[in-house]
Amino acid sequence: MPYCVRLVDGVTDLCAIKLAEQLKTRRVVSLSIHGEKNEVGDIGAAALAVALKDNTFLLKLDVSGCSKIGQVGFQAIREALKFNTILSMFIFNDSESTGVSKELLQEIVSACTNNFVRRVIRKVRETEAHTEHGHLSLERHHVQIVVTPQHIEELANLLKASANLKYINLQHVGLTDEGVLVLVDALKANGVVTTLNVSGNPEVTDVSGAALKELLEVKPHLKHVIVDGTGIRRILYGELEASCRANGGGVDEAEAELEFEGEGGHDDEDGEGEEAEGEGSETPDLGPEEGDDDLEAEAEAEEEEDLESLKVAELKERLRALGQPDAGTKPKLVKRLREAMASGSSLGDTQADTGGTAASAASAALEASAAGSSQEEQRASHGKKRAAESEPEVETRAHRWRAAVSDERFDAMQVTVGRKKFGLRPDQQSELTSWLAGSWDNEWLILDKDGAPLHFLAQDGKKNKLLLDGV
């Protein structure tokens, strides 16, 4: 399962070194160091950079609380990104990075942007055969990215070859007229895209507007072209709206999204598109994944556990590992553990002179999380014995699901996508069989408090509910 680590104050080079060791063995997807009392410098940054070279999980690195990292430390991170193709978000405090060249920092940000754009394109290609209503989004809230001509060329090649990609979201990505003209040329060879959103790009002007208007006239399937927040003048904006209306659409973003969801949902929600999660993607990374939510929040959602399913002894063990009291009833233990995990109390809130303690706490917390995950998988392998100690001896939803999967009654199961219901695909059936054996993918198949299948998680983070006749 993915972990999200946040440290607040008291973080030293020693702590960073220990964290770097954890990055080599733990599935940490987000690492953030915040606060004003940290001592992480070039040595700590270099240790993290070494870990980044071979890391295949970390998507976000936030060192905004590390004002003592200098040119040497950032150079080490830049060199690591020549090998790392996963890190997609890098955050630093520009005002405190004194003595560090802006060119160097921009090189790091650009490398992360390359990783992000190519990961999104790769995922679209991987799921192309399994989606009827593909969705691609390069918008990222809270983080501004700027696409390059090379990115635009890769997008254009994707558009020319795609048979199912219908919704393109390029909001706030530094798009220019040159980029729009390349995309328009690619869209002339595309017969399926229904929505193009280039809003929030002020360097898109009437040059792009005229090309988009011409495209609408020859591509009646293109219904929505959204250009709010661009440099396109009002008179041409009105002409674009008229052309969209003639094709049965408009220039309203909400209207376009509503129509797209009505056709089958975002990308993998039409009952044909969760395969990327089933294969174990890093985090959901198409559509609103990084466009609607901060990447860290999404990682936290992925790592959220059903703590009520843990036994009292396991709850106490985790609390002790996090330095928390382990006395009380099970509801109190669950509440205390959830609060400790949410606040990151084990990973920070220490003062600068106790950096070694903070390092030990961070290491212990990750070890405890991994141990808890391993115990949970071991407990799942016992099948019908997986129920928690407090669970009454009655037939539960989990019992009925186990019986149905054991008998392979897949025809009695459905997955919901919005208001629609679909039968299970072979890969979803296989995943339920894996669940019965205790080896399911908890990034894709989400269980309820009884340990029964509840949702398949789509790539945009939406939960597609599972239904069983009579349950």
Side-chain angles (χ1 to χ4, degrees), residues 227-228 232-242 251-252:
V227 295
D228 296 329
I232 296 176
R233 292 180 298 172
R234 178 174 292 275
I235 185 169
L236 186 51
Y237 182 97
E239 293 176 2
L240 282 172
E241 182 175 20
V251 294
D252 182 77

Side-chain angles (χ1 to χ4, degrees), residues 44 96 185 225 250 265 290 318-319 327 340 353 369 392 404 438 441 461:
E96 294 186 3
D185 186 59
V225 174
E290 292 173 351
R318 291 205 189 187
L319 283 167
D353 59 354
S369 296
D441 183 348

Side-chain angles (χ1 to χ4, degrees), residues 330-382:
K330 182 174 181 178
K332 290 183 178 179
L333 295 176
V334 169
K335 181 180 179 182
R336 190 179 304 139
L337 180 55
R338 182 169 283 120
E339 290 174 350
M341 292 171 67
S343 65
S345 60
S346 67
L347 301 179
D349 298 333
T350 55
Q351 298 305 311
D353 59 354
T354 58
T357 302
S360 299
S363 180
L366 286 172
E367 294 285 355
S369 296
S373 178
S374 177
Q375 290 166 356
E376 187 172 357
E377 291 175 1
Q378 183 178 5
R379 184 172 65 256
S381 68
H382 290 89

Side-chain angles (χ1 to χ4, degrees), residues 92 101-113 146:
F92 59 94
S101 70
K102 293 188 180 299
E103 292 78 9
L104 173 59
L105 295 173
Q106 185 54 50
E107 286 178 16
I108 296 174
V109 172
S110 296
C112 291
T113 299
V146 177

Side-chain angles (χ1 to χ4, degrees), residues 76-118:
I77 293 174
R78 179 193 61 186
E79 291 303 309
L81 286 169
K82 293 179 180 179
F83 304 91
N84 182 297
T85 60
I86 300 299
L87 188 68
S88 303
M89 186 183 297
F90 180 73
I91 300 175
F92 59 94
N93 191 331
D94 193 17
S95 63
E96 294 186 3
S97 299
T98 56
V100 180
S101 70
K102 293 188 180 299
E103 292 78 9
L104 173 59
L105 295 173
Q106 185 54 50
E107 286 178 16
I108 296 174
V109 172
S110 296
C112 291
T113 299
N114 284 339
N115 288 347
F116 167 67
V117 173
R118 286 167 181 165

Side-chain angles (χ1 to χ4, degrees), residues 392-453:
E393 292 298 325
V394 295
E395 186 181 40
T396 65
R397 184 175 183 274
H399 291 147
R400 292 190 285 271
W401 268 95
R402 288 192 186 97
V405 176
S406 179
D407 295 338
E408 297 186 349
R409 291 192 290 110
F410 297 116
D411 57 338
M413 304 172 194
Q414 294 178 312
V415 61
T416 65
V417 180
R419 299 184 184 90
K420 299 181 180 179
K421 298 178 182 178
F422 299 87
L424 268 61
R425 302 193 316 267
D427 61 324
Q428 293 170 326
Q429 297 176 14
S430 177
E431 186 66 14
L432 289 174
T433 302
S434 297
W435 161 77
L436 188 64
S439 59
W440 76 98
D441 183 348
N442 58 14
E443 296 177 45
W444 186 34
L445 177 62
I446 310 301
L447 309 183
D448 66 10
K449 64 180 181 179
D450 294 324

